[in-house]
Amino acid sequence: MEGSRDGHPRQPRRPKRSRGPVEASGSPARAKRSGTSTARQPCEHPGHQTVPADEARTRTRRRLPDSRREIHQMLQNTQQMEREKLRRDLKRLRERAKDATDHCESILVSVIDSLQRGYRKVKELIEAREAEAEAQIQRSLQRRRDVEPRHLSHPSRAPLSESERAPAVSEEPFAQLFKPIEEAVEKFGRRLEDLCDEEIPTICQTVEDDELFQPSCGPMQSVSGDGYQLTNPGPSTGTSRQTGPSADPKTRAEFLKYAYELTLDPNTAHKYLDVSNGDKEVQRGPQKECRQVLPNPVRFSLRTHVLCTEALPAGRCYYEVEVDGDQAEIGLTYKGIHRKSLTSSSAFGGNDKSWSLDCSNGYSVSHRDKSVQLTAARRHRRIGVFLKSREGTLSFYEVSEDVELLHTVETTFKESLYAGFRLGENCRIRLCDLRREEP
């Protein structure tokens, strides 16, 4: 290595960088841009391939339909999985409901079995008393048969002694023989009915207060996990009032637009009531007149009631009845009203399941065993009933050429209602055929 003049070693010179034609001419290092685009230079990285922009856009457009199909298929698969899950949930719901029904049925059947065992014991007690009384009568008859031939063959014989004379037959002991049993069973029946009246609403209220159960006719919505809850989006049929109801009818012609045809159900009629005229008329004769009827669980056995076959519709409906006699009652009731007792649980207007218009002494309206005496006097035989179950109103009218409002009840109907009637002696009620009178 050559040294410098001052004695230090000389550094090697760097080779000069070759300049391109543009740089050599003194132009800037960056190429001058013109209005026309230059051709894309090939990529210098190994393995990379440069694609023109037009071709890339074309390829992207071709791939879009495939992407849409994939997304659509994914949505279909997701919906199918959700449907299958809902079907499984529905199946589990039905199975659980059946298990709950079977469980409750087994408990209530056990209660019924206990009542039947009690009934058999009471029946055996009655039969034992009957057999004992019958044996006494047979012994008396036998003594009379033994004594009478001797006195017939010896007419001059002295009168019968006290031991030979048969005891006088009196109806009073036998009339009172079974009275204590009847009274005890009747008292037990009333206590049992009162218990049911108290406990069944408590059970229903417990279920309604449960946070997992909110009565509704709306759809089910998913909550956390696999659970569901019922949501109530608005008024439901027959359980709440509508907002902004249309105006009530004013004339009879307007009422007839809501006419609803009814027929009486003979299976529910008390044995004193005679349903006739195509199940459009019911009549009760004197107290002791009764017809032969077959036992039926839906029949009123102690109160002279009868129900109609059809449930009244959930919307608006109107019907008319003609009443002959001064001991009649026009009722509306839920289907579950008691039918086998003399307590208020079986009386129209005597419980929370029914409402009634009593036509016996003027007019009075009853519900929950509370009555409102109306000031209007009876002037016409025909009574109109206008029910708006969704809006929660029940109105009674006296009908002649027009209608005159007697009373309106405002409440909330939780179930479908059935028209019913109570008849006193020598009373008749006829369901009017309003189809012939529609305007």
Side-chain angles (χ1 to χ4, degrees):
M1 180 180 294
E2 298 179 357
S4 60
R5 294 181 179 179
D6 53 5
H8 295 283
R10 182 178 296 177
Q11 296 295 330
R13 295 181 179 179
R14 293 181 180 178
K16 294 182 179 180
R17 185 178 60 180
S18 59
R19 298 183 179 180
V22 177
E23 295 179 342
S25 60
S27 301
R30 296 183 181 84
K32 185 179 181 180
R33 299 180 182 274
S34 62
T36 61
S37 61
T38 60
R40 181 185 298 270
Q41 297 296 327
C43 180
E44 297 178 357
H45 295 84
H48 286 201
Q49 184 178 0
T50 303
V51 180
D54 294 341
E55 185 177 350
R57 284 192 292 269
T58 303
R59 291 184 181 179
T60 302
R61 292 193 189 98
R62 290 176 180 173
R63 285 198 300 269
L64 282 176
D66 296 336
S67 300
R68 293 193 185 98
R69 282 194 293 270
E70 292 175 0
I71 294 173
H72 182 66
Q73 185 64 37
M74 290 176 59
L75 290 175
Q76 283 186 333
N77 294 338
T78 303
Q79 292 174 355
Q80 179 65 24
M81 293 174 61
E82 291 178 352
R83 285 194 294 268
E84 290 176 357
K85 182 180 180 301
L86 289 174
R87 291 191 187 100
R88 291 194 301 269
D89 292 344
L90 182 60
K91 182 179 179 181
R92 289 198 297 267
L93 170 65
R94 290 172 176 172
E95 291 174 351
R96 186 64 189 90
K98 186 178 183 303
D99 292 342
T101 301
D102 294 342
H103 177 70
C104 296
E105 182 180 1
S106 64
I107 295 175
L108 295 177
V109 166
S110 299
V111 175
I112 295 173
D113 290 342
S114 299
L115 291 174
Q116 289 178 340
R117 289 193 297 271
Y119 166 71
R120 286 194 292 269
K121 291 181 180 179
V122 171
K123 185 178 179 182
E124 291 172 0
L125 179 61
I126 294 174
E127 290 174 350
R129 290 200 173 190
E130 179 188 10
E132 182 181 354
E134 183 177 350
Q136 292 179 2
I137 295 175
Q138 292 292 348
R139 287 194 296 270
S140 298
L141 290 174
Q142 185 62 40
R143 285 198 298 269
R144 182 171 291 276
R145 283 195 296 267
D146 293 342
V147 171
E148 285 180 351
R150 296 199 304 269
H151 281 273
L152 290 175
S153 59
H154 302 283
S156 60
R157 186 177 176 179
L160 293 174
S161 63
E162 291 294 333
S163 60
E164 294 177 332
R165 185 180 299 118
V169 178
S170 173
E171 293 183 359
E172 184 62 25
F174 302 112
Q176 297 296 324
L177 183 63
F178 307 107
K179 194 68 175 177
I181 302 176
E182 293 175 332
E183 291 177 349
V185 172
E186 185 177 355
K187 182 179 179 180
F188 168 72
R190 285 197 298 267
R191 290 173 58 191
L192 188 60
E193 288 179 357
D194 293 340
L195 179 63
C196 291
D197 290 341
E198 293 176 3
E199 294 299 326
I200 296 300
T202 302
I203 294 172
C204 297
Q205 188 63 42
T206 302
V207 175
E208 291 177 358
D209 292 341
D210 191 348
E211 294 180 356
L212 297 179
F213 183 86
Q214 300 175 6
S216 163
C217 26
M220 292 200 337
Q221 293 184 349
S222 176
V223 294
S224 59
D226 293 333
Y228 290 89
Q229 66 179 1
L230 291 172
T231 58
N232 192 351
S236 56
T237 300
T239 58
S240 60
R241 302 182 187 181
Q242 292 179 334
T243 57
S246 58
D248 289 346
K250 300 299 182 184
T251 64
R252 188 164 181 270
E254 293 176 350
F255 277 103
L256 292 179
K257 295 178 182 179
Y258 301 98
Y260 190 72
E261 183 179 4
L262 293 171
T263 55
L264 298 167
D265 184 1
N267 293 324
T268 66
H270 186 272
K271 61 183 180 180
Y272 288 163
L273 304 183
D274 183 22
V275 178
S276 60
N277 194 19
D279 296 338
K280 290 287 188 179
E281 187 173 315
V282 57
Q283 185 170 359
R284 177 182 175 183
Q287 178 69 28
K288 296 183 180 181
E289 291 185 5
C290 65
R291 57 192 177 95
Q292 295 294 326
V293 295
L294 297 175
N296 197 313
V298 300
R299 189 182 307 281
F300 289 93
S301 58
L302 296 177
R303 290 190 176 272
T304 54
H305 291 359
V306 61
L307 293 181
C308 288
T309 304
E310 304 83 5
L312 297 173
R316 297 183 170 197
C317 69
Y318 177 75
Y319 59 95
E320 293 178 355
V321 298
E322 281 190 355
V323 179
D324 290 329
D326 57 357
Q327 297 184 30
E329 193 172 353
I330 299 171
L332 290 92
T333 179
Y334 297 149
K335 192 174 183 178
I337 189 172
H338 292 178
R339 310 185 187 196
K340 305 297 181 184
S341 74
L342 276 173
T343 65
S344 59
S345 62
S346 293
F348 291 150
N351 46 73
D352 61 351
K353 297 182 177 65
S354 61
W355 294 257
S356 73
L357 174 70
D358 194 336
C359 307
S360 300
N361 297 310
Y363 291 114
S364 63
V365 176
S366 301
H367 177 58
R368 292 180 179 269
D369 209 18
K370 297 180 180 179
S371 299
V372 176
Q373 189 70 36
L374 307 184
T375 57
R378 286 188 63 184
R379 294 182 299 170
H380 304 287
R381 297 188 306 163
R382 184 171 291 202
I383 302 296
V385 181
F386 185 47
L387 173 66
K388 300 184 293 183
S389 58
R390 289 179 181 172
E391 299 165 27
T393 62
L394 168 63
S395 301
F396 297 100
Y397 295 84
E398 197 174 60
V399 181
S400 55
E401 295 180 355
D402 210 335
V403 294
E404 181 179 350
L405 178 63
L406 295 174
H407 189 74
T408 296
V409 176
E410 294 186 358
T411 185
T412 299
F413 300 111
K414 300 179 180 180
E415 302 177 26
S416 297
L417 290 170
Y418 287 77
F421 309 98
R422 178 188 68 83
L423 289 84
E425 293 186 43
N426 301 315
C427 187
R428 181 180 68 90
I429 292 179
R430 182 178 67 86
L431 296 172
C432 301
D433 188 0
L434 301 182
R435 294 174 300 175
R436 300 177 182 179
E437 304 180 34
E438 291 180 358

